[in-house]
Amino acid sequence: MNARLPVAHFCGLELTRLIIGGNPFSGNSHVSHELDEQLRDYYTTENIKKALHRCVACGINTVQLRADQHIMRILREFRNEGGKLNWIAQTASEVASFAGNIRQIAADPSAVAIYHHGTVTDNLYQAGRTDELKERCKIMRASGLPVGLGTHKPEVIRRCEDEQWDVDFYMACVYDLARRERISSAITGIANSEEQFCPEDIPVMYETIRQTAKPALAFKIMGATRRCATPADVRANFAEAFSNIKPNDCVIVGVFQRDKDQIEENSRYVRELLA
């Protein structure tokens, strides 16, 4: 077992600066229906738990996962097997009761923070329904957990900062995937295969992350497989991220463990770069 990776002091927590993301576990590739299906075939309950145990072995102490019944049941089984990881919970947009979903998260002993699903954030923001977003933040605040806001749009973070919304951290996508209204494939069952991954978005979000004093979790730094054709590409993306975010920010990266040990590879690159 490796020593713990370098950590960020994040909302009173010590989180490893590499956090494993949950989209692949839920069969959401942001690439194609075919890749979604491959993820769903591979990521059985047992293989997800193997990946979680591998995180621990590689020195990672935190995962970011959806707060749906499927994932919460797997986390329970993982804990019952002796596994211990911090869980940053994404609200599950398909759950009818937002407040009920928050109560489910708060009752889970793995949960250390909660954030509002970025796709829903962006749709409400672009529809002018910011008051509804603020009310949802109040509901999350009542959970007692640190409150985050997910978004794919730098302007959402700037608006929150200007108006001093009651949030503790941001879940910040380096690509603006919300140029048009979109719905998560977890809700529709249809692959998000026509999203626009524009390279010019990346420096804009990184600059936005640096401009806020609040901690941020940067995600999709690999472009959902579009920027990681070689190991050198993967390492370069980590180097780019850590040179552009603040010392107490983290990166979130999903993994597909079927063909090689991406958890080990990613943790090794992070360990080298932050040595």
Side-chain angles (χ1 to χ4, degrees), residues 42-56:
Y42 176 76
Y43 275 127
T44 62
T45 295
E46 287 305 311
N47 281 341
I48 292 174
K49 288 190 294 181
K50 284 180 183 178
L52 297 178
H53 285 294
R54 189 64 179 143
C55 289
V56 176

Side-chain angles (χ1 to χ4, degrees), residues 174-195:
V174 299
Y175 290 94
D176 183 357
L177 302 183
R179 287 181 171 82
R180 58 186 180 186
E181 185 171 342
R182 52 196 283 278
I183 302 175
S184 171
S185 66
I187 299 172
T188 65
I190 301 171
N192 295 119
S193 58
E194 297 182 357
E195 295 168 322

